[in-house]
Amino acid sequence: MPAAGGAEPMIAPSILSADFARLADAAESVGTADWLHVDVMDNHFVPNLTLGLPVVTSLHRATGIPLDCHLMIDDPDRWAPGYAEAGASNVTFHVEAAADAVQTARAIRAAGALAGLSVKPGTPLDPYLEVLREFDTLLVMTVEPGFGGQAFLPDVLPKVRLAREHVRAGHLRLFVEVDGGIAPDTIEAAAEAGADVFVAGSAVFGADDPGRAVEALRTQARAAMTVQ
């Protein structure tokens, strides 16, 4: 896995937009992806129910792509370390749901995964800049969490810029990930703002050739990152 804050853009196709009956095939179709993004929703923290630990365990056995688990769940302090133990490479939980974000991050890391912190569109980043020293990934939601296929919210990009400024200054060392509405018409704005990991659902799995879509998005992001 590349070092956090690297210069190369990373594409993380979201299996939320894949055929749930053929998840192993979906993973194979995006074999050049950097991460495979797995949205875990509990119908409590967000108004949707998707999949959980058994599916992540099975996916880990079925693909060599690092699993990027995004936990949109209540009580992540209890559940998050289990996803790392199941083989996830990056486990991200929401600051809005955590009782002790730092201890949970340390537990995830102790279990062998990178630890990620996510913020909803309406959650300011400034209060958590010190906490982010304990994390490997910041996931900035560019839609309201809970459903795929939503429109990208450009108003959240100042949070991406703020995080990138702190990374460049050496105050933080982490991936800056964006999730929601990432597509050919939005990825360049996210890259220019400072994101380096891009979660894309329907833009990948809705394409005729998901693997080619991954490469096209990476090319767009790389070009936009050079003008930062």
Side-chain angles (χ1 to χ4, degrees):
M1 183 173 292
E8 262 308 280
M10 296 170 57
I11 307 299
S14 172
I15 63 167
L16 185 64
S17 296
D19 182 349
F20 273 25
R22 303 176 62 218
L23 291 183
D25 293 338
E28 185 176 356
S29 74
V30 292
T32 63
D34 301 282
W35 291 350
L36 189 64
H37 192 78
V38 183
D39 287 308
V40 177
M41 306 183 194
D42 64 358
N43 198 31
H44 291 282
F45 181 71
V46 292
N48 198 3
L49 183 66
T50 55
L51 46 82
L53 196 54
V55 175
V56 170
T57 301
S58 295
L59 265 176
H60 178 60
R61 291 197 296 262
T63 181
I65 304 173
L67 299 183
D68 175 31
C69 289
H70 176 195
L71 308 185
M72 289 171 270
I73 63 173
D74 285 339
D75 199 9
D77 309 82
R78 174 184 178 186
W79 297 109
Y83 286 85
E85 293 164 2
S89 294
N90 186 67
V91 180
T92 295
F93 60 92
H94 273 264
V95 70
E96 301 91 353
D100 191 331
V102 169
Q103 289 304 314
T104 301
R106 291 175 179 174
I108 291 169
R109 283 173 155 181
L114 302 181
L117 191 69
S118 184
V119 291
K120 291 182 177 182
T123 300
L125 184 60
D126 302 75
Y128 305 108
L129 290 172
E130 287 299 319
V131 171
L132 282 170
R133 294 176 183 272
E134 300 278 348
F135 288 84
D136 305 287
T137 305
L138 168 67
L139 175 57
V140 177
M141 293 301 300
T142 45
V143 298
E144 288 295 334
F147 294 93
Q150 298 183 61
F152 179 82
L153 298 174
D155 291 349
V156 306
L157 290 181
K159 286 191 282 190
V160 176
R161 293 189 185 96
L162 177 62
R164 178 54 56 196
E165 288 169 6
H166 280 262
V167 171
R168 286 186 180 131
H171 302 148
L172 299 174
R173 186 174 183 274
L174 43 67
F175 295 106
V176 181
E177 186 173 8
V178 285
D179 180 6
I182 299 299
D185 61 341
T186 59
I187 193 168
E188 292 178 14
E192 288 169 1
D196 52 13
V197 183
F198 306 86
V199 178
S202 56
V204 171
F205 289 114
D208 292 336
D209 186 335
R212 184 174 296 177
V214 166
E215 293 308 312
L217 288 170
R218 184 183 286 116
T219 297
Q220 277 191 274
R222 183 184 294 118
M225 288 170 71
T226 63
V227 301
Q228 288 182 28

